[in-house]
Amino acid sequence: MKKLFVICLAIFLFTSMGCGNKPEPKKDSTTTQAATANSVSLTDPVDGSKIENFENAKYSFVYNKVEYRFNSKENYEAFKKDPAKYLRK
């Protein structure tokens, strides 16, 4: 009877500690062009020019939970006015 008690206690303690499972980290609902792109070179959606340093791109805009980055203020403003126009390409 004593062995059964010790086994039950050990099982209880083991399961109450979560068996080492860690909760999954929260995922941000906004993705970036980099996260959705399969290639390394990313382009400005307005003029198609290559974005040399995606992380330091000065202008960005979130549309349909995707963050787009731009090489110039003019491209950013144009995209902001009508994003669907530039995403049809």
Side-chain angles (χ1 to χ4, degrees):
M1 184 72 161
K2 191 175 183 181
K3 283 184 180 180
L4 182 61
F5 175 75
V6 171
I7 292 171
C8 289
L9 180 62
I11 292 172
F12 171 76
L13 290 174
F14 183 73
T15 58
S16 67
M17 291 187 313
C19 302
N21 293 335
K22 294 181 181 177
E24 288 193 28
K26 272 190 164 181
K27 294 181 180 176
D28 188 4
S29 62
T30 301
T31 57
T32 63
Q33 280 173 290
T36 58
N38 292 327
S39 66
V40 176
S41 66
L42 296 171
T43 57
D44 185 314
V46 175
D47 65 6
S49 61
K50 185 177 177 184
I51 297 175
E52 295 297 328
N53 191 338
F54 185 81
E55 294 301 319
N56 293 332
K58 196 172 181 180
Y59 304 99
S60 67
F61 185 76
V62 175
Y63 177 72
N64 285 342
K65 297 183 181 180
V66 176
E67 181 181 15
Y68 295 91
R69 306 253 176 129
F70 308 91
N71 281 324
S72 69
K73 184 176 181 178
E74 292 79 18
N75 289 355
Y76 162 76
E77 293 293 336
F79 185 86
K80 196 167 121 177
K81 287 179 185 174
D82 188 9
K85 174 182 175 183
Y86 299 102
L87 297 177
R88 283 187 219 132
K89 293 181 180 180

